[in-house]
Amino acid sequence: MSDQVISEFARALGERVRAARQAKVPKAFSLERLGRRSRVHWTYIGQIERGEANPSIVVLARIAHALEVDLAELVAGLPEPPPGKDPDE
């Protein structure tokens, strides 16, 4: 994946994180509040939501925990991730 191309996987994951954040009741979490709760910088969460970052499983688990959603629900049914680079090429 080139630096400027947003993969369908990253875009879908970001949309799901944003939807979960905005669905918080009685008031949607701000990026800053989610950042404090998850111990992930709010600007990085913004990058994830825009599909510009590929977070580690630990970061996703922190975000899911802060949002009080199951990590499996957050990633279930996402499109196939882009292929990695072949180390032998």
Side-chain angles (χ1 to χ4, degrees), residues 3 13 15 41 57 61 65 83:
D3 293 335
L13 175 62
E15 287 177 359
H41 200 277
I57 192 72
H65 181 74

Side-chain angles (χ1 to χ4, degrees), residues 2-24:
S2 75
D3 293 335
Q4 298 301 317
V5 177
I6 297 174
S7 75
E8 183 66 18
F9 176 84
R11 186 195 59 73
L13 175 62
E15 287 177 359
R16 203 166 285 178
V17 169
R18 179 180 293 118
R21 178 175 62 80
Q22 292 176 340
K24 292 308 290 179

Side-chain angles (χ1 to χ4, degrees), residues 30-49 53 59 62-63:
S30 66
L31 286 171
E32 293 86 356
R33 183 171 183 202
L34 179 54
R36 285 190 308 272
R37 289 178 56 99
S38 64
R39 304 286 194 255
V40 175
H41 200 277
W42 67 271
T43 59
Y44 188 57
I45 295 170
Q47 290 173 340
I48 294 167
E49 288 188 358
V59 168
R62 286 180 182 169
I63 292 170

Side-chain angles (χ1 to χ4, degrees), residues 8-9 11-17 20 57 60 64 69-81:
E8 183 66 18
F9 176 84
R11 186 195 59 73
L13 175 62
E15 287 177 359
R16 203 166 285 178
V17 169
I57 192 72
L60 281 179
V69 299
D70 186 56
L71 177 59
E73 288 178 35
L74 201 58
V75 298
L78 288 175
E80 185 174 324

